[in-house]
């Protein structure tokens, strides 16, 4: 029986990212809990927990990435099962929080779906959630349970430091990401630039201008996620046209929907550095994509929670510099 600080705990995984769950469990030196997910003929989700969880602090690994609705429903059903099985606490490890882009009403009569999902998770019975690089920090306020929003930036910074790139400029793909770019630039002791773009419709981007100097420099575009890679392709090509000698990109969540991989291949991008919050299926792998592991951060989070220690130290600038590794 796994126990820390006299607290019994177990780690379970659902369908979305079992490899990351296995990595976390290995770091904690415990086996994954027995759990089977199946479907009825009409597609209804059925979950069987194969061992007792009564009185245990349970951690469930499940990013709500594609297929978003299926993975979200799996998570909700699992939480309900754990609550009814008398788990002491139900702690969700949701590395990627789906629906996070719908965090406000951008136009009249639109939903705030990120808040709706928070309501569903709380209503199901979760007592805590750990996630990584929420699309908007205010989403933490949508919950009335503790939320720990981990950062991938130190892990990615370490990777670029070890590459010993010269004449770096960190580029934000839009005005909203300027703070994120500034933080990476501080790690790398580099200046920043901002791509001035507009979105005439979802997943379509047009570059209007560039703020900052990139000529003769190695540009690193930093964002929280890459979905269809349209913005990244346009941005990388624009930076190359403006004289950047090489263009890299970094993101926490590689959604890579639709033509994303093809666009990356056709762009002037040297490399996209991402994390394993979302698994890369075979059709989404490319020589241009480098995936870094963040499992150790969530494992350390579990240890801190069970030891009644603050997790804030894991959010500090150098947290992750020492332990990060490639997948």
């Amino acid at each position: 029986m796994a126990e820390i600080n006299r607290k019994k705990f177990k780690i379970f995984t659902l369908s979305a990212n079992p490899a990351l769950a296995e990595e976390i469990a290995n770091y904690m030196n415990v086996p994954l809990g027995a759990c089977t997910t199946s479907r009825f003929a009409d597609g209804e989700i059925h979950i069987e927990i194969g061992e007792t969880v009564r009185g245990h602090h349970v951690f469930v690994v499940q990013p709500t990435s594609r297929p978003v609705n299926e993975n979200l429903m799996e998570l909700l059903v699992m939480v309900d099962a754990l609550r009814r099985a008398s788990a002491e606490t139900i702690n969700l490890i949701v590395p990627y929080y789906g629906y996070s882009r719908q965090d406000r009403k951008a136009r009249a009569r639109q939903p705030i779906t990120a808040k709706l999902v928070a309501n569903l998770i709380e209503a199901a019975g979760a007592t805590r959630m750990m996630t990584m690089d929420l699309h908007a920090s205010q989403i933490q306020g949508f919950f009335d349970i503790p939320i720990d929003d981990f950062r991938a930036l130190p892990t990615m910074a370490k990777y670029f430091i070890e590459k010993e790139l010269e004449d770096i400029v960190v580029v934000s793909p839009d005005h909203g990401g300027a703070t994120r770019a500034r933080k990476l630039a501080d790690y790398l002791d580099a200046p920043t630039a901002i791509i001035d773009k507009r979105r005439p419709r979802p997943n379509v981007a047009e570059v209007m201008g560039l703020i900052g100097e990139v000529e003769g420099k190695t540009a690193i575009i930093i964002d929280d996620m890459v979905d269809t890679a349209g913005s990244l392709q346009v941005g990388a090509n624009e930076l190359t046209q403006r004289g950047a000698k090489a263009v890299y990109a970094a993101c926490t969540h590689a959604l890579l929907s639709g033509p994303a991989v093809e666009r990356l291949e056709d762009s002037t991008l040297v490399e996209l550095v991402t994390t394993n919050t979302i698994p890369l299926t075979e059709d989404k792998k490319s020589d241009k994509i480098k995936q870094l592991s963040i499992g150790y951060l969530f494992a350390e989070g579990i240890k801190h929670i069970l030891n009644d220690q603050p997790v804030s130290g894991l959010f500090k600038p150098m947290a992750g510099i020492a332990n990060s590794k490639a997948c």
Side-chain angles (χ1 to χ4, degrees):
M1 179 178 66
E3 190 172 310
I4 291 179
N5 194 24
R6 297 185 179 180
K7 295 177 181 178
K8 299 179 292 183
F9 74 96
K10 291 184 177 181
I11 302 172
F12 289 88
T13 185
L14 297 174
S15 301
N17 200 342
L20 176 61
E22 188 71 43
E23 181 184 322
I24 294 170
N26 289 341
Y27 194 94
M28 298 293 295
N29 198 29
V30 297
L32 286 172
C35 176
T36 302
T37 304
S38 58
R39 299 289 190 276
F40 288 104
D42 64 352
E44 287 183 9
I45 294 167
H46 179 66
I47 286 178
E48 290 274 357
I49 300 172
E51 56 191 76
T52 183
V53 295
R54 182 178 296 273
H56 286 70
H57 298 270
V58 177
F59 297 83
V60 182
V61 181
Q62 177 81 339
T64 50
S65 49
R66 184 173 181 164
V68 180
N69 298 333
E70 285 285 307
N71 289 334
L72 175 59
M73 196 62 197
E74 272 191 15
L75 184 63
L76 297 174
V77 173
M78 180 63 168
V79 171
D80 184 72
L82 291 168
R83 178 174 59 85
R84 296 177 188 277
S86 301
E88 180 71 18
T89 63
I90 303 170
N91 307 273
L92 308 184
I93 300 177
V94 184
Y96 171 72
Y97 183 78
Y99 286 108
S100 61
R101 285 172 286 186
Q102 299 182 50
D103 62 304
R104 68 194 188 284
K105 288 183 67 172
R107 297 175 183 170
R109 297 175 296 281
Q110 286 188 339
I112 304 178
T113 320
K115 170 59 175 170
L116 172 62
V117 171
N119 290 344
L120 291 171
I121 289 173
E122 285 192 26
T127 53
R128 188 184 197 106
M129 190 174 85
M130 288 186 279
T131 186
M132 177 162 279
D133 286 337
L134 285 169
H135 186 64
S137 59
Q138 66 262 27
I139 293 174
Q140 296 177 76
F142 294 172
F143 290 84
D144 292 322
I145 58 175
I147 303 295
D148 301 310
D149 188 17
F150 289 82
R151 297 285 180 258
L153 208 58
T155 301
M156 293 188 287
K158 175 179 182 290
Y159 177 78
F160 285 115
I161 290 170
E162 291 177 345
K163 287 185 76 70
E164 298 182 344
L165 301 175
E166 297 180 352
D167 300 319
I168 295 173
V169 58
V170 179
V171 182
S172 173
D174 50 40
H175 292 276
T179 300
R180 184 183 300 108
R182 180 70 266 163
K183 289 179 180 177
L184 179 59
D186 287 343
Y187 282 118
L188 304 179
D189 191 24
T192 61
I194 301 173
I195 296 174
D196 183 18
K197 73 179 182 185
R198 69 182 184 99
R199 288 189 179 276
R201 56 187 182 276
N203 295 123
V204 176
E206 295 178 357
V207 175
M208 308 302 291
L210 179 70
I211 303 170
E213 295 295 329
V214 299
E215 186 173 357
K217 295 182 178 293
T218 300
I220 301 175
I221 304 173
I222 178 71
D223 210 346
D224 64 325
M225 67 177 74
V226 172
D227 191 356
T228 62
S231 295
L232 187 56
Q233 180 186 35
V234 170
N237 292 345
E238 181 72 15
L239 293 174
T240 300
Q241 291 175 12
R242 290 177 178 259
K245 63 182 180 182
V247 182
Y248 291 78
C251 74
T252 305
H253 312 295
L255 303 180
L256 302 182
S257 304
V261 174
E262 181 180 348
R263 286 174 173 173
L264 292 177
E265 294 285 356
D266 291 341
S267 74
T268 59
L269 202 67
V270 175
E271 188 175 57
L272 169 63
V273 180
T274 186
T275 74
N276 61 341
T277 57
I278 299 171
L280 292 180
T281 55
E282 287 301 318
D283 61 312
K284 293 182 180 180
K285 292 182 178 179
S286 165
D287 291 339
K288 283 193 173 185
I289 300 175
K290 179 70 174 181
Q291 196 175 39
L292 307 177
S293 173
I294 42 77
Y296 69 92
L297 267 178
F298 288 113
E300 285 295 330
I302 292 174
K303 290 180 181 179
H304 280 62
I305 290 168
L306 294 174
N307 282 315
D308 297 322
Q309 296 174 331
V311 298
S312 56
L314 300 176
F315 303 155
K316 291 181 179 178
M318 297 306 288
I321 290 291
N323 297 313
S324 60
K325 62 180 181 179
C327 295

